[in-house]
Amino acid sequence: MKFRYLTVLFAMLLLATDGFAQQRYQVAACDWMMLKRQKLGEFQLTKQIGADGVEMDMGGLGKRVLFDNKLRDPHFQKLFRHTADSLGVQVPSVAMSGFFAQNLIKRDNHKDLALDCLNTMEIMGAKVAFLPLGGSGHDWEKAGGARDTLVQKLHDMGELARERGMVIGIRTGLDAKQTIKLLKEINSEGIKVYYNMQDDADAGRDICKELKKLGKKRIAQIHASLTDSVTLDNDPRVDMLKVKQTLDKMGWSGWLVVERSRDVKKVRDVKHNFGTNVRYLKKVFQEGARRL
């Protein structure tokens, strides 16, 4: 009887372990693109669309000294964390989306901004920050003063993240070769790539080839979406099964986060767009590798 009990228990343990092992990819969505930037309702919406987690934003920046961040207030810290936990919604990453429009090169308080983000990540249990460089122009893409300044600031921010066991993932918009060169110049284990499929698709580059060039260790997280046109399940610009196979071979695992890929005919239908994209990614990445 005791042997039979142990056998059943062992079988259950194997099944549970196998189920966990299969989930090497998890799926999230961006709160600001779902029109829920630092709103408590983002967690319930994330649950409704079937995502495993939500990428929270730090709030607007504009002409402010710091982000418009509610999570500096102990009341909101407890409220947001409790709500996320009670709904079983994870926060894999926190975004500094304000830098889509703001120039990091011209920000003298880059360390304060980084610390604000890292503190918020700690509260929500996130390990990755998203930092787009789109607002910093293009001068930094070539050698010169702008690049030197950006590299130094990213190194500073990266070291702050590294000291806390966290990573800041930068969206460069560059190809893999140029991005690797930039990472070497930054020279901080706290700075990696936040890969965005949209950048390579829009530039006519092969997504899978670029992923392989970047390599497993350089990619912190992935925005698995493209420029708005149609939802991912109807988009011929990316073969998502091939992307999965590429990531499998690379040995990469982590979070796939939906940012865009909205149907332009239903661009404001948040539940339709994000729900469709989340379901599709889960079908490809979590339910088995079969061509859809």
Side-chain angles (χ1 to χ4, degrees), residues 1-143:
M1 188 74 177
K2 183 177 180 182
F3 176 76
R4 184 181 177 185
Y5 171 77
L6 290 173
T7 302
V8 172
L9 185 63
F10 182 66
M12 291 173 65
L13 181 61
L14 281 177
L15 285 171
T17 304
D18 184 57
F20 176 78
Q22 289 176 3
Q23 302 307 320
R24 64 182 297 168
Y25 305 105
Q26 291 182 284
V27 181
C30 301
D31 71 352
W32 72 96
M33 292 302 297
M34 294 195 295
L35 310 179
K36 292 290 184 181
R37 175 189 273 180
Q38 287 209 356
K39 292 182 179 178
L40 200 61
E42 67 184 272
F43 302 111
Q44 183 61 49
L45 178 58
T46 298
K47 195 78 173 176
Q48 288 175 348
I49 64 171
D52 304 308
V54 61
E55 182 169 275
M56 287 185 63
D57 191 55
M58 284 295 294
L61 188 51
K63 296 181 179 179
R64 301 176 185 87
V65 175
L66 293 175
F67 297 104
D68 186 19
N69 179 21
K70 291 179 182 176
L71 276 296
R72 285 194 295 273
D73 184 325
H75 167 72
F76 286 111
Q77 291 173 5
K78 293 178 182 178
L79 184 60
F80 273 64
R81 185 61 195 255
H82 172 74
T83 304
D85 289 346
S86 64
L87 291 170
V89 173
Q90 299 180 66
V91 179
S93 47
V94 173
M96 294 180 269
S97 75
F99 282 106
F100 273 120
Q102 296 299 309
N103 192 334
L104 178 59
I105 296 169
K106 296 181 178 179
R107 284 276 177 169
D108 294 329
N109 66 331
H110 61 288
K111 290 183 181 181
D112 292 335
L113 290 163
L115 287 171
D116 194 16
C117 182
L118 296 170
N119 290 339
T120 301
M121 290 164 64
E122 191 169 274
I123 291 160
M124 299 308 301
K127 291 295 184 182
V128 175
F130 167 53
L131 175 58
L133 302 180
S136 298
H138 296 283
D139 288 346
W140 64 267
E141 294 176 13
K142 57 182 183 296

Side-chain angles (χ1 to χ4, degrees), residues 101-196:
Q102 296 299 309
N103 192 334
L104 178 59
I105 296 169
K106 296 181 178 179
R107 284 276 177 169
D108 294 329
N109 66 331
H110 61 288
K111 290 183 181 181
D112 292 335
L113 290 163
L115 287 171
D116 194 16
C117 182
L118 296 170
N119 290 339
T120 301
M121 290 164 64
E122 191 169 274
I123 291 160
M124 299 308 301
K127 291 295 184 182
V128 175
F130 167 53
L131 175 58
L133 302 180
S136 298
H138 296 283
D139 288 346
W140 64 267
E141 294 176 13
K142 57 182 183 296
R147 187 180 182 92
D148 293 343
T149 300
L150 181 65
V151 164
Q152 183 59 56
K153 290 187 175 182
L154 288 174
H155 176 82
D156 294 342
M157 296 169 80
E159 289 301 283
L160 291 173
R162 180 189 61 78
E163 289 169 3
R164 295 169 72 160
M166 298 172 176
V167 171
I168 297 174
I170 56 173
R171 178 181 175 182
T172 70
L174 305 173
D175 64 22
K177 183 178 179 181
Q178 291 173 304
T179 297
I180 292 170
K181 184 176 184 293
L182 178 64
L183 289 177
K184 288 179 179 177
E185 291 175 32
I186 294 168
N187 189 31
S188 172
E189 293 180 4
I191 297 289
K192 291 189 179 183
V193 176
Y194 199 124
Y195 180 77
N196 194 300

Side-chain angles (χ1 to χ4, degrees), residues 187-212:
N187 189 31
S188 172
E189 293 180 4
I191 297 289
K192 291 189 179 183
V193 176
Y194 199 124
Y195 180 77
N196 194 300
M197 293 181 183
Q198 176 186 328
D199 293 332
D200 284 331
D202 287 354
R205 298 188 289 260
D206 186 301
I207 290 172
C208 292
K209 286 182 179 178
E210 293 296 298
L211 284 169
K212 284 189 282 189

